[in-house]
Amino acid sequence: MKLFSSVNDITDLNSLVAEALQLKQNPYAWQHLGKNKTLALVFLNPSLRTRMSTQKAALNLGMNVMVLNLDKEGWALELQDGAIMNGTTVEHIREAAAVLGQYADIIGVRSFPGLKDRDEDYSENIFSKFVKYCGVPVVSLESATRHPLQSLADLVTIEELKTKQRPKVVLTWAPHVKALPQAVPNSFAEWMCKADVDFTIAHPKGYELSTDFTQDATITNNQDEALADADFIYVKNWSAYEPYGKVFPGNEDWMLTNDKLKNTNNAKVMHCLPVRRNLELSDEILDSENSIVIHEAGNRVWAAQAVLKRMLATL
Ligand code: SN0
């Protein structure tokens, strides 16, 4: 595999999930694959889980890892082709990406959206320029529109913990104080639409996601109705796709509470983290048996390891 940026880069979803679960049983069996191979993780935004779990995954495979917080430690990046760089940007992405490709066998890139210009964000301008100019395989560490390592870990978690063949999975919007990207919900929806699950999305009016990601999912503005008989509930805030990046007032009552779990199938509650307690998700849920957020975060290692293993195999 030369690129992992979305579910569309995977032709055999079930075997990738199975591979991740096998690696969980036997993490160090493939150390020879990564020997003397280097992974460079490049961050333009903050990270805890993605950074640590991908690093751990690479170490389990015998790789060396280098991390660059490019937003803070690198030169200010120019993205525009043909720019006369007499202002604040110091280095063009053409050189920055190409040079990183000289030092690493695989590169991971995190590049959040600006949430101002939808066309710019949804064109994946920054991520795709890294892919174009670095010359080595690239794994997305969350781009403007997707977070595929998170979605793979989410699917691995559902496969691992489900108690029926085709569980009901509900993605439900949660309140927040900031405008957040659509990357996590877009990606989760895109993966769930390809998985063997009964998938529903619930959000207040105005938070419709791009239909490019939601395809044949059931979509409703009625949270109670959506949660009925749910086996897994995925909680996440996102800002509007149209008007782009907007946050509407109200909807605080969309926070998930124990009371809302009553009509579910004793649902397991998921969140990609970081989570704002008592805004997105109540303490009572996060500290209860129903919450699987820590287990889910743990599975980020096996998801990343399955992807890196496939990339190493094609170097
Ligand atoms: C990011 C997002 O895409 O929603 C990363 C999630 C993995 N989340 C945030 O930026 C949260 C910021 C906050 O202030 O709560």
Side-chain angles (χ1 to χ4, degrees), residues 99-152:
V99 168
L100 287 165
Q102 299 289 305
Y103 305 146
D105 300 284
I106 300 174
I107 292 178
V109 178
R110 166 160 286 193
S111 55
F112 285 0
L115 291 178
K116 299 219 155 39
D117 179 339
R118 188 167 83 184
D119 290 343
E120 164 84 8
D121 288 348
Y122 274 69
S123 73
E124 290 288 6
N125 188 25
I126 301 179
F127 184 80
S128 56
K129 285 195 163 122
F130 267 102
V131 173
K132 187 168 175 191
Y133 298 122
C134 78
V136 297
V138 179
V139 49
S140 164
L141 305 175
E142 186 172 343
S143 68
T145 66
R146 294 177 171 97
H147 194 357
L149 283 176
Q150 178 68 50
S151 307
L152 173 57

